[in-house]
Amino acid sequence: MTDQTLSESTDQPAVSESIGTDALLREAASGSTTPALLEVRDLRVNFHLQRTVVPAVQGVTFSVNAGKTIGIIGESGSGKSVTARAIMGLLPRKTAEVLGSVRFEGKELLGLSDREMRQHRGKDVVLVFQDPMRSLNPTMRIGTQIAEALHSHQEITRADARRRVVELLQMVRIPSAEQRFHEYPHQLSGGMRQRVMIAMALSCGPKVLIADEPTTALDVTTQAQIMELLRDLQRELNMAVVLISHDMGLAAMYTDEVAVMYAGRVVEQATTERLFKHVRMPYTRALLDSIPSLEHPSLEPLSVIRGRPPDLSALPPGCPFSPRCHFAQAKCEEPPILETTPDGDRFACWFPL
């Protein structure tokens, strides 16, 4: 499957109204009557191809409140971006079957028509893609593209839209905003283009921002600038943020909670502080060990996770990580149960660390 295949969107995919029993029990046990800003419950995505069905996402559950950040972390192919696109209603109806529940301020989004979903997409919930050069139209000026987002959700004059676009460019700290308004994407650096994408996402004052690998194509210094910008804007606007990344270092610095995904499943989930203090899942430990550290000699090779992520259309029996895990035993040939600790942390491993 290519990015182009996944991004072809018509109407909202077919949806089941059933929600996982475990998710309902946890929700009832919490005793909370105020719904989170964004609630995802037992989200599942199956791609129906010509000869097989690919379970790209299986049973993802999380929630995020205003002003908070949850990180969804994992290698490429773990299901992170598909989860984001399912939340946004951007998966193709013909091939994608979406099951479970996605609620914004208590309102169910799955099952809405594409026309109904457009009232929320870009206004209440926005998605910032990882490759701004592919997301921006190379034939249109920057200001015109941001103004289009404003016109799609608001009754606004061209003059007011122009003033608002300049304000947005200044908000995301683009210098010479008036001049940049007339420039094309190829005239901007990678960091500037990402700032333009953030400005476009913020144009209608969203309450939830999903950032899909927002710093992957940027150098280290620009990465830090973009992440600090997102954090400052989150505080100013009190947004909920879903940060999708492969980088555990970013998760440690910029999130309140972390959900680690592998082979389409959440294998460990906890508050950021507890996760980094007490890692239970060997895959999470492997991701942490892969982070470069100043404590290691400069000539020492970085730690890598052996093998490759599994083919989702032919998953191994039992724990999908077991072929790559140093701690795998015979018991791992059985599917692990996603256990919940008294603190509310979750992990799926027969032999937790």
Side-chain angles (χ1 to χ4, degrees):
M1 294 178 294
T2 65
D3 289 341
Q4 182 179 1
T5 302
L6 294 180
S7 61
E8 294 172 355
S9 174
T10 54
D11 291 333
Q12 177 67 23
V15 178
S16 167
E17 295 182 355
S18 63
I19 304 176
T21 303
D22 59 336
L24 288 173
L25 290 174
R26 285 194 301 273
E27 190 170 346
S30 67
S32 176
T33 58
T34 303
L37 200 55
L38 179 68
E39 293 182 286
V40 178
R41 293 286 178 261
D42 195 33
L43 182 66
R44 288 164 284 150
V45 179
N46 300 311
F47 288 105
H48 293 262
L49 307 182
Q50 290 184 349
R51 298 182 180 181
T52 186
V53 176
V54 179
V57 175
Q58 294 297 301
V60 171
T61 294
F62 67 86
S63 62
V64 60
N65 292 306
K68 299 296 183 180
T69 301
I70 183 171
I72 302 180
I73 311 299
E75 295 171 288
S76 297
S78 62
K80 310 184 302 297
S81 294
V82 176
T83 297
R85 291 171 184 263
I87 293 171
M88 297 295 296
L90 293 175
L91 295 178
R93 180 183 179 87
K94 292 183 178 180
T95 57
E97 176 190 27
V98 181
L99 310 170
S101 174
V102 175
R103 293 180 178 271
F104 170 75
E105 293 187 327
K107 179 180 179 180
E108 182 61 61
L109 299 185
L110 294 189
L112 295 181
S113 67
D114 194 55
R115 183 175 183 178
E116 292 171 324
M117 189 61 191
R118 279 198 299 267
Q119 297 176 6
H120 296 281
R121 187 193 306 135
K123 179 183 177 182
D124 299 319
V125 185
V126 296
L127 175 60
V128 176
F129 294 98
Q130 62 177 303
D131 188 350
M133 198 58 187
R134 292 179 59 185
S135 303
L136 293 171
N137 188 331
T139 67
M140 292 177 62
R141 299 181 191 275
I142 292 300
T144 304
Q145 297 190 56
I146 301 177
E148 272 195 346
L150 285 168
H151 287 298
S152 64
H153 291 286
Q154 300 178 17
E155 294 290 338
I156 187 171
T157 66
R158 291 184 61 182
D160 287 341
R162 177 189 172 88
R163 282 193 291 270
R164 177 58 178 158
V165 169
V166 173
E167 289 175 359
L168 288 165
L169 293 176
Q170 293 171 341
M171 181 185 295
V172 297
R173 302 170 191 167
I174 290 183
S176 306
E178 290 277 1
Q179 175 185 340
R180 302 296 184 185
F181 183 97
H182 300 284
E183 294 184 346
Y184 291 91
H186 73 271
Q187 295 177 277
L188 304 181
S189 66
M192 289 292 185
R193 288 194 292 265
Q194 192 61 281
R195 291 170 188 266
V196 169
M197 291 298 299
I198 296 172
M200 192 180 301
L202 299 179
S203 60
C204 296
K207 296 183 179 181
V208 179
L209 184 144
I210 303 174
D212 187 0
E213 298 277 9
T215 63
T216 297
L218 306 176
D219 61 76
V220 175
T221 302
T222 308
Q223 284 182 17
Q225 293 173 352
I226 293 297
M227 291 307 304
E228 290 296 328
L229 172 64
L230 284 174
R231 183 161 65 178
D232 291 345
L233 292 171
Q234 178 187 29
R235 291 170 177 169
E236 180 180 345
L237 303 174
N238 199 32
M239 293 186 300
V241 173
V242 180
L243 175 64
I244 295 175
S245 179
H246 63 277
D247 190 339
M248 290 294 284
L250 287 182
M253 295 177 64
Y254 297 104
T255 67
D256 302 291
E257 183 180 355
V258 176
V260 179
M261 288 189 68
Y262 186 80
R265 297 170 170 85
V266 172
V267 295
E268 186 161 8
Q269 186 170 349
T271 65
T272 304
E273 182 179 3
R274 289 201 297 265
L275 181 80
F276 281 84
K277 282 185 177 180
H278 188 189
V279 174
R280 293 181 173 89
M281 177 68 188
Y283 176 63
T284 306
R285 170 50 61 190
L287 289 176
L288 287 172
D289 290 342
S290 301
I291 300 175
S293 173
L294 295 176
E295 298 177 358
H296 298 293
S298 59
L299 298 179
E300 183 177 311
L302 293 175
S303 175
V304 297
I305 306 175
R306 65 179 182 178
R308 295 183 178 182
D311 181 353
L312 293 178
S313 62
L315 290 171
C319 176
F321 185 61
S322 60
R324 309 172 69 189
C325 181
H326 294 284
F327 305 95
Q329 302 181 35
K331 179 72 172 176
C332 298
E333 295 181 2
E334 302 176 19
I337 300 171
L338 188 61
E339 299 187 26
T340 303
T341 70
D343 292 327
D345 302 343
R346 303 191 299 161
F347 65 95
C349 185
W350 291 119
F351 304 100
L353 303 178

